[in-house]
Amino acid sequence: MKKTGILVLLLIIATSFQSVTGDFVGVIKIKHKYKDLEGKDITSRLAPYLGKEWEYSIDDKNYKSVNEAGNWVQLYNGESNVYYSFTKEKKASKYDAGATSSSKFEVTYLDRKEKVAGYICDVMKVETDDQTTIYYYSKEIRTNPENFANHQFGNWNKYLKAADGGITLKFELTDHKNKFMWIATATEVKPMALSATDFEFPSGYTIAE
């Protein structure tokens, strides 16, 4: 095959992993660590509940996370604007994603950059009612904030607006109320084609009353 033919083929393959708007569609692999506020590693204590590794999948209006044991962690359906949180006991809690989580959302852009999973990231600090979070996000891996404008739960719409759609590749969350730190770091970013069936409510799970 001629060189031009190879380049055209690669372009077709690459663009098939993106939405029609050019935003990221695919899977991000993430590793999680947990510490107490004194810096002691408490990963073994919290990982059974929050997970040690996630595969985070996102398209232009939905997302989900599945942990290292194959258990679902979260699911957001953009059409219904509903968020589900899952437990290892195969139970799901259902939330209206239009509900506000925190009245406070203060953003400070930090004058530094960091490479995460091969991507140069901008950095910002966000203060909410009980948490301080440092976010690392890349302009190369982004989604359209307008598609998630009604997703107020967890301040996701506010985050995306502040990050200009940049998807988090790393965060360092300090929970002042529950007194722990959560450090999540992307290890791999994989563009891939996803369909609506990838974001359907999983079989074998029930919604808690």
Side-chain angles (χ1 to χ4, degrees):
M1 186 182 291
K2 293 183 179 180
K3 186 175 181 180
T4 53
I6 295 174
L7 291 175
V8 170
L9 178 61
L10 290 175
L11 179 60
I12 292 172
I13 293 172
T15 54
S16 70
F17 295 143
Q18 298 180 347
S19 68
V20 293
T21 61
D23 296 323
F24 178 78
V25 175
V27 176
I28 301 173
K29 292 188 176 183
I30 306 169
K31 285 193 174 181
H32 301 271
K33 293 171 62 177
Y34 309 94
K35 298 180 180 180
D36 63 22
L37 296 187
E38 285 70 49
K40 180 181 177 182
D41 193 308
I42 55 173
T43 300
S44 61
R45 192 170 78 192
L46 294 186
Y49 303 96
L50 300 174
K52 193 172 184 179
E53 296 181 13
W54 287 7
E55 282 199 352
Y56 175 80
S57 305
I58 185 170
D59 66 5
D60 58 356
K61 60 182 178 181
N62 311 287
Y63 64 78
K64 69 177 182 181
S65 296
V66 178
N67 70 18
E68 70 277 7
N71 295 322
W72 285 53
V73 179
Q74 61 178 347
L75 169 66
Y76 172 71
N77 182 281
E79 186 174 344
S80 61
N81 200 34
V82 169
Y83 176 91
Y84 299 92
S85 175
F86 300 88
T87 70
K88 61 180 181 179
E89 290 79 24
K90 308 291 186 181
K91 298 288 186 181
S93 297
K94 182 179 179 180
Y95 301 92
D96 174 10
T100 302
S101 297
S102 172
S103 58
K104 179 181 178 181
F105 192 87
E106 298 177 356
V107 179
T108 303
Y109 296 98
L110 305 184
D111 187 21
R112 59 188 174 94
K113 295 182 183 293
E114 182 172 319
K115 182 177 283 189
V116 182
Y119 295 90
I120 299 297
C121 293
D122 294 309
V123 186
M124 69 179 179
K125 180 174 73 172
V126 172
E127 298 275 0
T128 58
D129 291 342
D130 299 309
Q131 298 173 344
T132 302
T133 308
I134 308 296
Y135 290 104
Y136 302 75
Y137 56 97
S138 171
K139 294 176 177 145
E140 297 180 66
I141 307 298
R142 69 182 305 281
T143 191
N144 186 348
E146 293 182 5
N147 293 346
F148 296 92
N150 295 322
H151 188 334
Q152 298 191 81
F153 187 77
N155 299 301
W156 179 236
N157 56 352
K158 293 179 182 178
Y159 162 80
L160 285 178
K161 183 177 180 180
D164 192 26
I167 298 171
T168 305
L169 296 183
K170 178 180 176 180
F171 68 74
E172 299 166 342
L173 181 153
T174 301
D175 189 314
H176 304 290
K177 182 177 180 179
N178 296 300
K179 302 186 183 305
F180 75 96
M181 293 180 63
W182 181 354
I183 302 98
T185 307
T187 58
E188 186 178 1
V189 177
K190 298 170 60 178
M192 65 171 62
L194 298 172
S195 67
T197 58
D198 291 304
F199 301 98
E200 292 179 349
F201 190 89
S203 61
Y205 287 81
T206 57
I207 298 176
E209 297 297 332

